[in-house]
Amino acid sequence: MLQKGVVEVERDITFRLAAEEDLERIVQMLADDVLGEERERYEDPLPEGYLKAFKAIESDPNNELTVACHDKEIIGVMQITFTPYLTHQGSWRATIEGVRTSSAVRGQGVGSKMINWAVDRARERGCSLVQLTTDKQRGEALRFYQKLGFTATHEGMKMKL
């Protein structure tokens, strides 16, 4: 039995590059969790910074803002950045960031399908490594990524400016 606001998702999930008209839904998903509600601003109109960031991502051939759709509804989002490195013998790597699924489909395997799709996309682009970070406060996310084959091999560090 479904709860109100919950969408049952079967196997029909498609992936495509995000379009500008998807931006409101994307920001809504980014803001829809404990950490996101502190750092995102989902309001009408959206803050200008979101559109500027979208345009920069869209114009960069090494960045892909990808949405996961069930029928025509956007149920997930992630950004994949492809970066050349001198390390690892000059190979490319993919960084997966900003992964969110709609609260209506969490726990239904959508996140797994998204990450597996992103790993396949990295292979298509010739990457030898896929990396991602998750906030230390997101213990469930850490276990989720480990279940998908990711290992915590490095200690990540950030500096807010």
Side-chain angles (χ1 to χ4, degrees), residues 17-105:
L17 291 178
E20 187 175 323
E21 56 268 16
D22 301 328
L23 198 51
E24 183 178 335
R25 176 69 177 129
I26 290 168
V27 174
Q28 181 183 35
M29 285 188 297
L30 293 174
D32 185 24
D33 73 8
V34 175
L35 297 177
E37 68 186 11
E38 294 175 8
R39 58 185 173 210
E40 304 303 338
R41 287 182 43 209
Y42 175 62
E43 54 193 45
D44 187 18
L46 288 176
E48 187 179 331
Y50 289 114
L51 182 58
K52 286 181 179 179
F54 175 82
K55 296 244 183 228
I57 293 165
E58 183 181 48
S59 69
D60 183 344
N62 290 317
N63 270 290
E64 295 179 357
L65 185 63
T66 302
V67 291
C69 301
H70 176 13
D71 295 325
K72 293 184 181 195
E73 182 182 357
I74 296 173
I75 58 171
V77 64
M78 65 187 156
Q79 180 175 340
I80 310 170
T81 303
F82 303 98
T83 311
Y85 277 80
L86 287 177
T87 61
H88 294 265
Q89 302 175 35
S91 67
W92 283 71
R93 63 180 70 182
T95 303
I96 304 170
E97 297 276 348
V99 179
R100 293 292 190 288
T101 58
S102 167
S103 57
V105 300

Side-chain angles (χ1 to χ4, degrees), residues 106-143:
R106 289 188 189 138
Q108 296 185 44
V110 174
S112 296
K113 290 177 183 178
M114 289 172 59
I115 297 301
N116 289 330
W117 185 90
V119 169
D120 288 343
R121 182 72 184 116
R123 282 189 185 103
E124 287 174 10
R125 288 281 305 249
C127 295
S128 66
L129 184 78
V130 177
Q131 61 190 21
L132 53 79
T133 61
T134 188
D135 193 291
K136 289 184 177 188
Q137 297 177 66
R138 298 183 190 273
E140 286 183 31
L142 179 62
R143 289 185 293 280

